Amino acid sequence: MRRPYVARLLIGTMIGRLPTGMVPVALLLLVAEQGGSLATAGVLCAAYGLASALGQPALGRLVDRRGQTGVTWAATAATSLALLALPSVDSTTRTPLFAALVLLAGATTPPMEANLRALWSNVLPDPAQRRAALALDTGSQGSIFIAGPPVVAAAATLAGPGSAVIAAAVLGLAGAAIVLSARPSRTWRPSSAAPSGLLGPLRSPGLVALLVALTGTGVALGAHTVWAVSVADRSQSTVLLGLLPAALSVGSLVGGALYGRRAWPGSLTAQLAVAAVAFAACWLPLVTNPGPMAAVAVSALPGLALPALVTGSFLTVDALAPPGTVTEAYAWLVAAIGVGQALGTALAGSLSAHPQLGAALPATGAAFTVLVLTAARRRMYVPGAPVRRGRHRRVPAPAGRHRAAAQTA
């Protein structure tokens, strides 16, 4: 955090991503205030989440071709305008327009997270510091889901749900301004490599396998949200609705700090596998049907292992992504987890009548990640943490292995 631009980029990105944690809650309140049903609000929230996840790779590809500044400002403007328009549209009488604005706000969510990961190699040329920053970055991202809902609650209490949506738009603009005005973002330039083709980074089989694996991680996280609701309902304690997701996020923040403090032995592929196994094992206590306080404690456990898994995944993406596709590749990773979260939420909702199965779903999703990583380990093999020498040029890895990533100014 003492290195130039690190704190600014990290804090700015977190502020810019606050709408991700605010908009779903604000939508629920806004639709309810307008007289809409909870079912309608739930569908709109799911549509926003899926549109946001699927829009990231497309925006990431544009960043790889045209740079961060123009693309990210245009996306920020589009999503902010859509959010600012929402409070003036009645979701019950003008449902198609309301839904279109929700989809536009989601699809144009600026790729702040992918942009930040692309900047670390320039801001922190030392691989150990870069890995520590990635771990801290990953662990701290959960804080947007801790801070977002209280901000919505405060704004809605003071001036109504519409003001909460407007606050999300303003914070998104503020975060983008903090990051995009920083020199590393302003001077970041797209690769001069040949066009990446229709598939872009997806032409790497190892990268595709990693993305498939991480949908299981997303399923675990999405299913945990529904499990938290069921535990709060059984315990008749609305406090648990916030405590259980917060415990997972706090565990992630602590895990990121611990993981980034030391170097870990073995190849990057082996580290990723160990982290995936630990993440899956940490979900098993949920199956024991813990009481309210124990549920808070066991919810923190997967968070401890999550930063190692996600950081290892980003470093693997860094090594496997074809030249000139790094931002899009990062965005695909974010999208894979996001789609998995939506799937996990839907599956857990369908199992709400069977609490034991719902409690086992997070571990099942995490186990899927382990199985895919194990089956695809040869395609994904990276001998060590990737080392970048600038921005885009790659150097070959040892013969017979995937090349390690390296970039040149």
Side-chain angles (χ1 to χ4, degrees):
M1 294 289 284
R2 291 193 300 268
R3 301 289 296 175
Y5 298 108
V6 170
R8 177 176 177 173
L9 293 174
L10 183 59
I11 293 171
T13 298
M14 290 173 63
I15 295 173
R17 293 193 65 229
L18 271 175
T20 305
M22 293 175 63
V23 171
V25 181
L27 282 177
L28 288 171
L29 297 177
L30 182 61
V31 172
E33 183 190 52
Q34 294 174 344
S37 68
L38 183 60
T40 300
V43 170
L44 289 170
C45 288
Y48 172 80
L50 283 174
S52 178
L54 296 176
Q56 293 295 292
L59 291 170
R61 177 171 293 198
L62 287 174
V63 168
D64 280 327
R65 293 181 177 180
R66 299 183 179 276
Q68 292 192 359
T69 306
V71 174
T72 308
W73 266 129
T76 303
T79 195
S80 296
L81 289 173
L83 291 175
L84 290 172
L86 273 176
S88 63
V89 178
D90 193 315
S91 62
T92 59
T93 59
R94 305 173 72 185
T95 305
L97 177 58
F98 192 93
L101 289 171
V102 169
L103 289 172
L104 177 61
T108 58
T109 298
M112 301 291 291
E113 190 173 0
N115 283 356
L116 178 62
R117 270 65 188 261
L119 291 175
W120 284 139
S121 59
N122 294 339
V123 176
L124 296 169
D126 178 66
Q129 287 192 336
R130 188 159 64 247
R131 184 178 61 84
L134 273 171
L136 179 61
D137 175 7
T138 300
S140 62
Q141 292 303 318
S143 62
I144 66 174
F145 299 102
I146 299 175
V151 172
V152 170
T157 300
L158 292 173
S163 66
V165 179
I166 293 172
V170 171
L171 286 169
L173 283 168
I178 292 171
V179 173
L180 295 176
S181 61
R183 185 175 181 275
S185 179
R186 287 188 288 106
T187 59
W188 191 90
R189 293 293 179 264
S191 170
S192 58
S196 57
L198 180 62
L199 294 179
L202 299 185
R203 65 180 187 264
S204 166
L207 182 55
V208 171
L210 176 63
L211 297 177
V212 171
L214 289 176
T215 59
T217 302
V219 166
L221 297 174
H224 176 263
T225 301
V226 179
W227 179 80
V229 173
S230 67
V231 171
D233 184 56
R234 292 198 308 270
S235 305
Q236 297 184 337
S237 172
T238 55
V239 175
L240 289 175
L241 286 173
L243 279 180
L244 294 175
L248 179 66
S249 297
V250 170
S252 178
L253 183 59
V254 173
L258 294 175
Y259 175 75
R261 288 182 65 86
R262 57 164 293 182
W264 298 89
S267 69
L268 182 56
T269 309
Q271 293 176 25
L272 186 62
V274 171
V277 171
F279 183 67
C282 286
W283 289 109
L284 294 176
L286 270 66
V287 185
T288 64
N289 192 27
M293 290 301 99
V296 175
V298 300
S299 290
L301 292 177
L304 294 172
L306 182 61
L309 175 59
V310 177
T311 301
S313 298
F314 273 107
L315 291 172
T316 302
V317 165
D318 199 43
L320 298 180
T325 67
V326 62
T327 308
E328 183 185 352
Y330 290 149
W332 272 113
L333 191 152
V334 174
I337 296 177
V339 170
Q341 284 180 290
L343 179 59
T345 301
L347 289 173
S350 66
L351 295 173
S352 58
H354 308 280
Q356 202 64 27
L357 292 177
L361 186 57
T364 303
F368 176 81
T369 298
V370 175
L371 290 174
V372 176
L373 290 178
T374 301
R377 63 187 183 279
R378 294 186 181 278
R379 290 183 179 274
M380 294 170 48
Y381 181 79
V382 180
V387 178
R388 289 197 180 273
R389 306 184 186 282
R391 284 207 302 269
H392 290 287
R393 182 175 59 86
R394 308 288 173 125
V395 296
R401 300 298 188 186
H402 286 286
R403 60 184 178 276
Q407 297 177 318
T408 187

